[in-house]
């Protein structure tokens, strides 16, 4: 066949060629797709967290994350994991910079996202294994376990489990705590991607890989079925009778770090709200509580060293006529403690609990010299480091055993469990959110408390200085709550419980088991990679 010049020209007109520059830009845009998808899927995971009730968005978030990472080399996976971490943690933790500026917030996120980057490399490595969603979900939980312990005693804020307070998976918290709950959600998300991937593969090739398809379906189905089966462990039935609890939110004069400069006003506000509650009880408008719970920092004036503060608390306790748990800042033997004080209306202070998991850069300053060299204002905010308590805190209040978990401690599995194993029949999470203004922090912490209620099958109260204070049933339901930056009180009859869930009895074991699963998967993946290289060399 002879091809003429005319026919060649006609062919060029029918199939116009892309300019070299356009091809280069097209290739660059294609390369950016995984990076953009990683960041956006991290953002999607953030949107699944409170105060929104879009818990189910965690599933497509991990499905997209699995698509981005599957089959990637470790270097690319590190970068993509880091982008996922930034997309998730930057908006989630923005409240950490509300009063101190963007520097600490960005530094915190930059460090925490490194853990997610390592998880990304691990997920990519196991993504080539049979049944990879199981290995990959275990790798994610191993990353959370590491993040909860280092640096500076860990920062578990943002565990996947804490975004599931409104979700169908919540009962799994009673089975194995936050590790099992988080594992189920991540596994279901990776399983969702695998189902879609195998479906598209079958459509393109006509080949059905039954074993892989079975694992994918089970990865989605088992967590859901397990969650429904675990509902039998969730109950709000009173086992040891009931008590009527009072939760006082006194409010603060104004938000921000300088609320500490008005310490006397904060104490007066909480005493005043308690006296108002006492007047309502006397008038028969509300039931008399068996005891009253004040928030963390409700008396930043040390009542052991300041007679005027002691007199204010004494007057409030006598007005209501029942014991009060007071959140105080006290100095003892030259050391500063964030302390809960059990205040009897007749005897005064009779017991104390010192916060054990204190907040780095908030209650103590690691690397003080280095940070001072960078910015002296930051060291001025934490002039003296708080000391750590050493013992669990369970107050006996009108016969009820009340476990104290102060604010930041609610994020740590061990801190909550220790109160229950020490005999707590209910839990109180006294907190101070005034330094974070109207940010999402208070809602994130409230969701943690709901997860803890189900995890240990205990009523949980959340007395907060400025909102949102709440009463949570052992099944995770919020039955009463306050607004933000208002003075208010909540009174309710709540169940006392003493039985222990599997999660309480097992403690750290489910997390250890999942970390071992992750280690096994990574070991298998590394071994398979080495064998493949040796075979290629031969």
């Amino acid at each position: 066949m002879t091809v003429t010049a005319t026919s060649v020209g006609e062919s060029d007109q029918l199939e116009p060629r892309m300019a070299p520059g356009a091809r280069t830009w097209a290739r660059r845009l294609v390369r950016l797709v995984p990076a953009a998808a990683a960041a956006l899927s991290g953002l999607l995971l953030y949107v699944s967290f409170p105060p929104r009730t879009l818990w189910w968005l965690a599933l497509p978030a991990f499905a997209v994350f699995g698509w981005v990472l599957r089959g990637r080399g470790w270097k690319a996976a590190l970068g993509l994991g880091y982008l996922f971490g930034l997309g998730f943690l930057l908006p989630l933790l923005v409240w950490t910079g509300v009063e101190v500026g963007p520097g600490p917030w960005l530094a915190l996120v930059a460090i925490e996202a490194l853990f997610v980057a390592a998880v990304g490399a691990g997920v990519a490595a196991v993504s080539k294994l049979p049944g990879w969603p199981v290995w990959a979900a275990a790798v994610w939980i191993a990353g959370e376990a590491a993040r909860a312990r280092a640096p500076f005693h860990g920062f578990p804020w943002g565990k996947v489990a804490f975004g599931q307070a409104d979700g169908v998976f919540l009962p799994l918290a009673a089975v194995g705590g936050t590790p099992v709950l988080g594992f189920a959600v991540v596994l279901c998300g990776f399983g969702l991607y695998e189902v879609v991937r195998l479906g598209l593969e079958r459509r393109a090739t006509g080949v059905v890989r039954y074993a892989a398809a079975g694992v994918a379906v089970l990865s989605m189905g088992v967590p859901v079925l397990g969650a429904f089966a675990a509902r039998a462990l969730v109950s709000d039935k009173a086992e040891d009778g009931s008590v009527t609890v009072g939760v006082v939110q006194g409010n603060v004069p104004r938000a921000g770090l300088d609320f500490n400069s008005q310490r006397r006003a904060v104490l007066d506000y909480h005493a005043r709200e308690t006296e108002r509650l006492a007047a309502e009880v006397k008038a028969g408008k509300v039931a008399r509580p068996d005891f009253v719970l004040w928030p963390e920092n409700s008396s930043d004036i040390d009542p052991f060293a300041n007679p005027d503060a002691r007199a204010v608390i004494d007057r409030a306790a006598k007005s209501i006529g029942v014991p009060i748990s007071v959140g105080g800042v006290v100095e003892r033997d030259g050391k500063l403690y964030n302390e809960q004080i059990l205040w009897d209306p007749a005897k005064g202070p009779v017991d104390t609990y010192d916060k054990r998991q204190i907040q780095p850069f908030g209650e103590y300053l690691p690397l003080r010299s280095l940070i001072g060299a960078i910015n002296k204002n930051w060291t001025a905010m934490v002039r003296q480091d708080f000391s750590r308590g050493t013992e669990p805190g369970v107050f006996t209040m009108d016969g009820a055993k009340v476990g104290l978990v102060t604010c930041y401690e609610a994020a740590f599995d061990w801190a909550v469990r220790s109160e229950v194993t020490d005999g707590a029949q209910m839990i109180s999470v006294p907190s101070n959110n005034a330094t974070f203004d109207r940010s999402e922090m208070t809602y994130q912490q409230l969701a943690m408390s709901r997860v803890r209620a189900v995890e240990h099958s205990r009523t949980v109260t959340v007395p907060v200085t400025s909102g949102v204070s709440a009463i949570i049933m052992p099944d995770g339901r919020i039955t009463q709550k306050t607004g933000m930056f208002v003075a208010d009180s909540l009174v309710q009859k709540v169940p006392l419980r003493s039985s222990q869930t599997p999660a309480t009895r097992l403690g750290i074991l489910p997390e250890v088991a999942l970390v071992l699963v992750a280690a096994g998967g990574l070991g298998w993946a590394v071994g398979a990679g080495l064998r493949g290289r040796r075979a290629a060399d031969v």
Side-chain angles (χ1 to χ4, degrees):
M1 178 179 178
T2 302
V3 179
T4 64
T6 303
S7 65
V8 172
E10 290 171 353
S11 176
D12 287 344
Q13 291 175 2
L14 290 172
E15 298 179 11
R17 295 180 179 178
M18 183 180 291
R23 284 199 300 270
T24 301
W25 277 106
R27 284 195 295 269
R28 288 176 179 172
L29 287 174
V30 169
R31 289 173 184 167
L32 285 175
V33 169
L40 290 173
S41 58
L43 181 63
L44 195 63
L45 180 59
Y46 156 71
V47 175
S48 74
F49 271 64
R52 294 157 296 278
T53 56
L54 303 174
W55 57 270
W56 52 271
L57 286 179
L59 304 186
F62 280 102
V64 175
F65 193 41
W67 168 70
V68 165
L69 292 174
R70 191 172 189 278
R72 298 277 178 185
W74 69 270
K75 291 181 181 178
L78 273 175
L80 293 168
Y82 197 75
L83 289 172
F84 181 89
L86 292 179
F88 172 45
L89 296 171
L90 271 171
L92 185 80
L93 302 179
V94 68
W95 51 266
T96 60
V98 166
E99 294 296 335
V100 295
W105 161 51
L106 295 174
L108 174 64
V109 170
I111 292 169
E112 294 299 314
L114 290 173
F115 290 90
V116 187
V119 167
V123 170
V126 301
S127 68
K128 303 168 188 177
L129 299 177
W132 73 268
V134 177
W135 307 110
V139 168
W140 179 272
I141 298 305
E144 286 192 342
R147 200 160 65 84
R149 290 165 174 81
F152 312 125
H153 299 276
F155 186 76
W157 213 280
K159 276 189 171 186
V160 168
F162 295 149
Q164 296 297 308
D166 290 293
V168 298
F169 298 101
L170 179 61
L172 288 170
V175 176
T178 59
V180 168
L181 173 54
F183 175 77
V185 175
V186 179
L187 175 61
C188 203
F190 285 146
L192 172 62
Y193 162 61
E194 186 70 347
V195 166
V196 173
R197 186 184 73 84
L198 292 173
L200 293 175
E201 181 183 274
R202 178 185 178 278
R203 186 174 181 180
T205 64
V207 176
V208 179
R209 294 193 287 137
Y210 291 102
V215 171
V217 171
L218 287 173
S219 296
M220 290 192 66
V222 170
V224 175
L225 293 175
F228 278 99
R231 293 173 69 178
L233 299 172
V234 180
S235 172
D236 61 359
K237 181 181 178 181
E239 296 174 330
D240 303 311
S242 301
V243 292
T244 301
V245 60
V247 172
V248 167
Q249 175 176 301
N251 202 9
V252 297
R254 59 178 178 270
L257 292 174
D258 66 342
F259 91 94
N260 285 307
S261 66
Q262 306 162 74
R263 296 177 298 166
R264 179 53 192 267
V266 175
L267 172 57
D268 287 343
Y269 281 15
H270 284 82
R272 184 186 308 159
E273 182 60 26
T274 303
E275 290 165 0
R276 188 193 66 79
L277 174 61
E280 288 197 338
V281 169
K282 188 175 181 180
K285 295 180 180 179
V286 296
R288 178 180 296 278
D290 295 309
F291 53 85
V292 170
L293 303 167
W294 282 11
E296 176 188 36
N297 298 127
S298 46
S299 178
D300 275 355
I301 301 176
D302 185 349
F304 296 105
N306 294 272
D308 58 334
R310 184 183 183 112
V312 170
I313 299 171
D314 258 334
R315 187 173 64 249
K318 284 180 169 61
S319 71
I320 193 69
V322 299
I324 302 176
S325 178
V326 177
V329 173
V330 305
E331 188 170 349
R332 187 167 55 251
D333 300 326
K335 296 180 179 180
L336 205 60
Y337 293 93
N338 185 337
E339 191 166 83
Q340 288 293 309
I341 308 165
L342 176 54
W343 207 283
D344 185 89
K347 302 175 183 177
V350 294
D351 201 357
T352 60
Y353 166 65
D354 298 324
K355 187 176 181 180
R356 293 169 293 165
Q357 187 69 45
I358 57 177
Q359 184 181 349
F361 305 100
E363 293 172 307
Y364 78 101
L365 202 59
L367 311 173
R368 182 177 287 273
S369 299
L370 176 61
I371 291 172
I374 297 171
N375 190 326
K376 291 183 179 180
N377 290 332
W378 293 344
T379 56
M381 292 177 187
V382 188
R383 295 184 181 89
Q384 181 181 352
D385 292 343
F386 280 80
S387 295
R388 298 175 184 274
T390 57
E391 300 294 332
V394 179
F395 288 168
T396 300
M397 305 183 75
D398 196 44
K401 301 288 187 179
V402 182
L404 284 305
V405 181
T406 306
C407 196
Y408 183 57
E409 292 182 319
F412 292 83
D413 295 346
W414 67 268
V416 185
R417 178 177 179 267
S418 67
E419 312 303 69
V420 179
T421 57
D422 203 47
Q425 298 166 304
M426 62 171 288
I427 297 168
S428 181
V429 185
S431 303
N432 173 27
N433 305 127
T435 53
F436 305 113
D437 204 358
R438 296 182 179 273
S439 69
E440 294 181 357
M441 183 271 187
T442 188
Y443 299 104
Q444 293 170 11
Q445 189 177 58
L446 188 60
M448 288 181 197
S449 299
R450 294 178 64 191
V451 172
R452 298 306 186 191
V454 173
E455 181 180 11
H456 299 292
S457 195
R458 294 292 187 271
T459 297
V460 176
T461 59
V462 187
V464 183
T465 51
S466 56
V468 174
S469 298
I471 296 175
I472 304 166
M473 291 292 100
D475 60 3
R477 289 179 300 118
I478 296 175
T479 52
Q480 289 192 61
K481 65 179 180 179
T482 69
M484 293 185 72
F485 291 97
V486 295
D488 203 352
S489 58
L490 308 173
V491 177
Q492 184 175 322
K493 188 176 182 179
V494 300
L496 298 177
R497 293 178 59 84
S498 56
S499 63
Q500 294 187 358
T501 63
T504 307
R505 292 194 295 270
L506 292 171
I508 197 175
L509 292 180
E511 185 178 57
V512 171
L514 290 170
V515 170
L516 291 176
V517 170
L522 291 170
W524 185 6
V526 171
L530 291 175
R531 288 191 295 271
R533 288 175 190 170
R534 291 193 193 104
D537 291 340
V538 173

